[in-house]
């Protein structure tokens, strides 16, 4: 008998039929004698609908009130799944984040989980009951409802698995595993049987939304056995999905590149003609950081005539705010010539632990993009990834070209 945490995403919970399908899958696992905690998302489209409704009323909705509202999608699906399970004869009980007590900090809209109270869940599990928990939500020390950021149900699932020391955390979604890139963009993308934790962390942080980055961080920190699977496979035809592994498989040669990630959610800002003197990066990025805006890539050009240009990228949602700070505070303060902004850019990245032992990957990547006439605006590298910023209109082309260049469409040898 094992303790298993399963998480079902929005598409998997998208209609009464699909919820019944989830209930049948849960029942099959239960029939094998396992204890089950099931974490669910809102029905697909529901969180977007709620956010749009809030923005219709208030362009910058109050963050606390937004969480009170957008957490309701998951409150609906936990109850529906509990009803479906009871209807097929199982014992089941639903819990909101606050009822479990998923304690978070008070950063509304992107709260972090601090602690999870196991008591209620353990009691139910011991009583042979399927525990159903609302993903994406928690409660802070003052009793305020919080949410964990878009895609946060993944993190709820892994955090519960960590707290309960579950034998496995299964993330059920609308694809049957982690692919070499988003199969919606490249139909030739291949499913990976396994992927190293490090690579998954990079892919998630660089935009592959199959797992929320914080869920992968949690899995790493608490060594949660994590698997991504499809909730759409028929009984008897299920595959093993993709296992996130903590050791590199040394018996097989690692592919140089394991996957291509992309992120549309980017914007670039450039401060033109700033005096080329010590402290200038701090003077520009200090006020940006003070306003809680995360900066991703940074480039300072070689100076000439005593001035230089300074560019950086931010999340597209923060573009307007960052530009305003540059124009109103930084430009007059540092004596810059002008501020330029571009919110039609994207980031495309190649990820692979095999890169460590293979030089020349970057030049291969740059040549492939050049041959398609795609101009690279910014570059950033680490031991296991190379990212470039390109014009958003080239996103799909760049992803397809890189997928082919690194032969990700070919089955591994
Ligand atoms: P859920 O609602 O189940 O949480 P998401 O839409 O958040 O599902 O995540 C699944 C989606 O992630 C897939 O439908 C796919 O389009 C996208 N995706 C992006 N990159 C990848 C990848 N490398 N492998 C698999 N899916 C990916
Ligand atoms: N319902 C939330 C969202 O759409 C959380 C999730 O699906 O993981 O972002
Ligand atoms: Mg998701």
């Amino acid at each position: 008998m094992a303790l298993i945490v399963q998480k079902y995403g929005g598409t998997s919970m998208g209609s009464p039929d699909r919820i019944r399908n989830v209930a049948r899958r849960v029942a099959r696992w239960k029939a094998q004698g396992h204890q089950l905690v099931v974490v669910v998302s809102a029905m697909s489209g529901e969180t977007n609908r709620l956010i749009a409704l809030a923005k219709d009323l208030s362009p910058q909705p109050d963050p606390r009130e937004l969480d009170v509202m957008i957490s309701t999608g998951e409150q609906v699906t936990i109850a529906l799944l509990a009803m479906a399970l009871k209807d097929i004869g199982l014992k089941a009980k639903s819990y909101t984040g606050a009822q479990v007590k998923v304690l978070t900090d008070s950063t509304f809209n992107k709260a972090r989980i601090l602690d999870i109270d196991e008591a209620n869940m353990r009691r139910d599990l011991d009583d042979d009951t399927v525990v159903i928990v609302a993903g994406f939500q928690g409660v802070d020390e003052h009793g305020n409802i919080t949410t964990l950021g878009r895609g946060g149900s993944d993190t709820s699932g892994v955090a519960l698995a960590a707290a309960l020391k579950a034998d496995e955390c299964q993330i059920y979604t609308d694809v049957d595993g982690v692919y070499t890139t988003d199969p919606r963009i490249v139909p030739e993308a291949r499913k990976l049987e396994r992927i190293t934790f490090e690579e998954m962390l990079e892919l998630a942080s660089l935009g592959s939304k199959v797992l929320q980055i914080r869920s992968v961080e949690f899995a790493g920190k608490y060594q949660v056995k994590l698997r991504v699977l499809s909730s759409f496979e028929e009984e008897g035809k299920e595959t093993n999905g993709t296992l996130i592994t903590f050791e590199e498989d040394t018996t097989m040669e690692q592919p140089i590149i394991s996957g291509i990630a992309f992120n549309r959610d980017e914007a670039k800002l450039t401060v033109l003609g700033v005096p080329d003197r010590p402290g200038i990066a701090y003077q520009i990025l200090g006020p940006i950081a003070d306003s809680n805006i995360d900066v991703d890539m940074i480039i300072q050009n070689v100076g000439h005539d005593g001035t230089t240009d300074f560019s950086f990228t931010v999340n597209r949602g923060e573009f307007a705010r960052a530009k305003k700070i540059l124009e109103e505070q930084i430009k007059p303060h540092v004596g810059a010539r002008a501020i330029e902004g571009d919110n039609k850019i994207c980031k495309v990245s190649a990820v692979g632990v095999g890169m460590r032992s293979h030089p020349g990957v970057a030049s291969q990547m740059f040549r492939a993009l050049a041959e398609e006439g795609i101009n690279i605006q910014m570059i950033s590298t680490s031991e296991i990834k190379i990212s470039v910023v390109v014009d958003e209109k080239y996103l799909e082309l760049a992803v397809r070209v890189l997928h082919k260049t690194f032969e990700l469409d070919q089955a591994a040898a």
Side-chain angles (χ1 to χ4, degrees):
M1 184 189 74
L3 170 52
I4 294 170
V5 175
Q6 300 187 332
K7 175 259 171 178
Y8 291 91
T11 321
S12 311
M13 296 294 290
S15 68
D17 268 348
R18 289 191 171 163
I19 294 174
R20 272 190 284 268
N21 183 46
V22 168
R24 282 194 293 269
R25 182 180 307 275
V26 170
R28 289 203 293 277
W29 281 88
K30 193 79 191 65
Q32 290 169 28
H34 303 304
Q35 292 188 317
L36 281 162
V37 173
V38 183
V39 177
V40 297
S41 292
M43 294 169 99
S44 58
E46 179 63 4
T47 311
N48 286 345
R49 187 186 74 84
L50 292 168
I51 292 172
L53 192 57
K55 290 202 168 155
D56 191 14
L57 217 94
S58 160
Q60 296 273 332
D62 177 82
R64 178 186 182 279
E65 302 312 323
L66 189 64
D67 277 354
V68 169
M69 186 203 189
I70 62 176
S71 60
T72 59
E74 276 75 7
Q75 189 166 339
V76 171
T77 47
I78 50 170
L80 288 174
L81 181 59
M83 293 172 199
L85 282 167
K86 283 168 191 269
D87 277 0
I88 54 174
L90 274 79
K91 290 205 260 182
K93 189 167 173 189
S94 69
Y95 287 92
T96 64
Q99 287 174 324
V100 167
K101 199 150 178 187
V102 175
L103 183 70
T104 71
D105 65 15
S106 304
T107 320
F108 296 112
N109 313 162
K110 51 178 175 188
R112 279 182 183 274
I113 296 176
L114 301 174
D115 189 43
I116 293 178
D117 185 347
E118 293 172 54
N120 287 328
M121 293 187 288
R122 287 277 180 214
R123 201 186 44 239
D124 288 341
L125 289 172
D126 290 343
D127 182 38
D128 213 27
T129 299
V130 176
V131 175
I132 304 167
V133 178
F136 182 52
Q137 54 177 266
V139 62
D140 73 2
E141 58 174 338
H142 309 293
N144 296 302
I145 294 172
T146 55
T147 66
L148 310 178
R150 298 308 305 271
S153 298
D154 297 332
T155 303
S156 306
V158 179
L160 283 164
L164 293 162
K165 301 186 181 58
D167 295 284
E168 182 163 312
C169 180
Q170 304 174 339
I171 306 283
Y172 284 93
T173 182
D174 54 2
V175 283
D176 58 354
V178 179
Y179 277 67
T180 47
T181 193
D182 189 339
R184 286 178 212 269
I185 302 279
V186 183
E188 296 80 25
R190 275 185 315 105
K191 192 189 93 176
L192 300 164
E193 287 302 314
R194 42 180 60 219
I195 183 165
T196 67
F197 160 74
E198 263 185 301
E199 288 171 320
M200 195 61 240
L201 200 58
E202 285 287 355
L203 286 176
S205 80
L206 295 168
S208 301
K209 68 166 184 166
V210 59
L211 287 175
Q212 197 201 35
I213 170 82
R214 282 184 187 168
S215 71
V216 188
E217 288 168 356
F218 251 101
K221 189 162 171 198
Y222 298 99
Q223 300 279 302
V224 176
K225 186 172 173 201
L226 184 60
R227 199 184 278 283
V228 177
L229 307 127
S230 165
S231 69
F232 290 86
E233 288 171 342
E234 285 169 40
E235 184 175 358
K237 293 189 185 159
E238 292 99 339
T239 62
N240 291 329
T242 301
L243 181 68
I244 319 298
T245 61
F246 293 100
E247 291 119 48
E248 285 174 31
D249 188 345
T250 46
T251 58
M252 278 193 331
E253 193 177 347
Q254 286 294 331
I256 301 174
I257 300 296
S258 296
I260 309 292
F262 55 85
N263 189 1
R264 290 177 207 278
D265 233 11
E266 306 257 335
K268 183 172 84 168
L269 290 147
T270 303
V271 189
L272 292 161
V274 289
D276 195 6
R277 58 164 192 253
I280 206 73
Y282 173 66
Q283 283 176 35
I284 293 173
L285 297 180
I288 297 286
D290 291 344
S291 306
N292 257 324
I293 299 175
D294 282 333
V295 169
D296 181 12
M297 285 196 208
I298 302 169
I299 283 189
Q300 180 170 350
N301 285 341
V302 178
H304 47 84
D305 309 332
T307 70
T308 185
D309 300 338
F310 189 95
S311 298
F312 59 94
T313 61
V314 296
N315 187 287
R316 205 176 281 182
E318 320 254 53
F319 175 68
R321 211 153 61 87
K323 192 153 182 261
K324 192 158 177 243
I325 295 170
L326 290 183
E327 264 154 8
E328 290 176 3
Q329 298 177 31
I330 294 166
K331 185 172 169 240
H333 180 61
V334 303
R337 182 157 46 80
I339 307 296
E340 271 179 4
D342 183 355
N343 63 357
K344 294 266 182 303
I345 58 153
C346 65
K347 182 166 72 178
V348 180
S349 311
V351 172
V353 291
M355 230 183 262
R356 285 194 185 117
S357 49
H358 283 84
V361 178
S363 70
Q364 204 183 341
M365 177 163 172
F366 303 155
R367 188 180 63 219
L369 295 172
E371 280 170 3
E372 294 295 332
I374 302 174
N375 185 40
I376 300 171
Q377 303 181 17
M378 294 171 113
I379 299 169
S380 110
T381 65
S382 80
E383 246 196 327
I384 65 164
K385 72 116 202 278
I386 302 165
S387 298
V388 295
V389 165
V390 299
D391 191 319
E392 192 188 9
K393 70 176 182 233
Y394 294 125
L395 185 141
E396 299 195 358
L397 178 61
V399 172
R400 267 189 269 119
V401 163
L402 295 178
H403 195 264
K404 198 158 176 44
T405 299
F406 293 113
E407 298 177 348
L408 294 175
D409 46 353
Q410 324 256 308

